[in-house]
Amino acid sequence: MKYKITFLFLLFLSIICSASEVEDLMQNGNNLYQKKQFEEASKLYERVLNYGYESSELYYNLGNSYFRLGKLGYSILNYEKALKLAPSDEDIIHNLAIANARTIDKIEVLPKLFFIRWFESLVNLFSVNGWLYFLYFLMILLLLTAAAYFVINKIIIQKWAFISGSVILGVFILSLVFFGLRLHQDSQFTNAVVVEQAVTVKASPDVSSNDAFIIHEGLKIQIDDKVSDWYKVRLADGKIGWLRSAEIKII
């Protein structure tokens, strides 16, 4: 029993020490960024990631550092990772738009019907965790309205509790659908960013195969398949080809 207690204590102590070191690294990275020492700042942010810690703020700061260093691909990669965790963050959206404006490739997205775009914007309103927290919040409100309906013996209170509960239940069911769709989207579709200055997309997963087209640093692409060290990629305009894994980074 004594050994178990000692082990748990050491485990707890190591977690506390790691958290403290991560906080120090983040603070030092921010200080270096403010001093315009972007290379050193990016290294500290990467060390934080190596600890297994991630947040929208960390990816955002790392994206800013790489942008200042002229590493457009890595900048967009980290902005995209930040946006994945905080889809409605205006600063991330703004900086990502600026970075995307610097890319060479201007891909015309295949047009979608307006109601499909509207529906997708609702699904992408929150991240998976964001939808989950929102569902928890709605569940708490639903329990409170149910408690008010059954506990308070006043007609007017019961009436408003019933109406409010019905509305909240409807929003809960709709949000549950959006949560399921966002979860499916994240699990089924994998995106990546080109991190090399220029890469040649191949017609098949073979170095000796025909060249399909050329794309450049910072372009966001969809991953459809993987064969050995090759990824089958799809552009927003529908073009398909194969790239080696070293040429792109998964978001």
Side-chain angles (χ1 to χ4, degrees):
M1 184 65 177
K2 184 185 295 184
Y3 295 112
K4 289 183 179 179
I5 293 174
T6 303
F7 171 76
L8 291 174
F9 175 75
L10 291 175
L11 179 61
F12 176 75
L13 187 62
S14 66
I15 292 173
I16 295 297
C17 292
S18 295
S20 176
E21 188 169 354
V22 164
E23 186 176 348
D24 289 341
L25 287 171
M26 279 289 291
Q27 185 60 49
N28 291 335
N30 293 340
N31 292 337
L32 288 170
Y33 182 88
Q34 291 175 358
K35 295 177 182 177
K36 301 186 185 302
Q37 298 178 27
F38 306 119
E39 184 72 40
E40 291 78 6
S42 65
K43 289 178 181 178
L44 291 187
Y45 293 141
E46 290 286 1
R47 282 182 61 187
V48 174
L49 289 175
N50 290 336
Y51 273 99
Y53 176 84
E54 63 174 3
S55 70
S56 59
E57 179 188 359
L58 174 58
Y59 285 125
Y60 175 72
N61 291 348
L62 189 54
N64 287 339
S65 298
Y66 280 129
F67 185 81
R68 294 288 189 173
L69 291 169
K71 297 181 179 180
L72 190 60
Y74 284 98
S75 175
I76 291 175
L77 171 69
N78 284 281
Y79 285 147
E80 288 284 356
K81 287 184 176 183
L83 194 65
K84 197 173 181 179
L85 297 176
S88 57
D89 190 294
E90 294 182 355
D91 291 331
I92 299 172
I93 294 171
H94 175 72
N95 284 19
L96 178 58
I98 292 175
N100 281 327
R102 301 282 185 92
T103 58
I104 295 175
D105 301 309
K106 307 301 178 186
I107 308 297
E108 291 188 11
V109 181
L110 293 175
K112 295 180 181 179
L113 296 175
F114 76 93
F115 61 87
I116 295 178
R117 294 198 304 270
W118 177 78
F119 187 78
E120 287 181 346
S121 66
L122 286 177
V123 172
N124 295 319
L125 184 62
F126 300 122
S127 63
V128 171
N129 288 336
W131 278 116
L132 196 57
Y133 295 145
F134 187 60
L135 287 171
Y136 286 149
F137 174 71
L138 291 176
M139 189 179 297
I140 292 171
L141 289 182
L142 196 59
L143 290 174
L144 290 174
T145 55
Y149 181 82
F150 289 107
V151 174
I152 302 175
N153 293 320
K154 290 185 177 180
I155 299 298
I156 186 66
I157 299 295
Q158 290 180 329
K159 178 182 177 181
W160 281 107
F162 179 80
I163 295 173
S164 301
S166 299
V167 173
I168 294 170
L169 180 61
V171 175
F172 179 85
I173 294 172
L174 191 61
S175 299
L176 191 62
V177 172
F178 289 152
F179 168 72
L181 290 172
R182 184 59 197 260
L183 189 64
H184 174 75
Q185 175 180 290
D186 284 3
S187 62
Q188 292 296 317
F189 299 103
T190 303
N191 294 313
V193 173
V194 178
V195 292
E196 298 292 331
Q197 287 190 349
V199 294
T200 301
V201 182
K202 295 290 185 176
S204 61
D206 189 338
V207 178
S208 59
S209 67
N210 294 331
D211 297 344
F213 47 89
I214 297 175
I215 52 179
H216 301 83
E217 182 183 19
L219 183 65
K220 182 180 177 180
I221 53 181
Q222 179 179 310
I223 305 296
D224 285 352
D225 197 6
K226 183 180 182 182
V227 175
S228 186
D229 197 37
W230 291 82
Y231 283 109
K232 184 179 180 181
V233 302
R234 181 186 300 272
L235 272 58
D237 60 2
K239 289 181 181 177
I240 298 174
W242 293 84
L243 283 174
R244 284 170 293 186
S245 60
E247 299 168 327
I248 59 178
K249 294 293 181 183
I250 304 298
I251 297 174

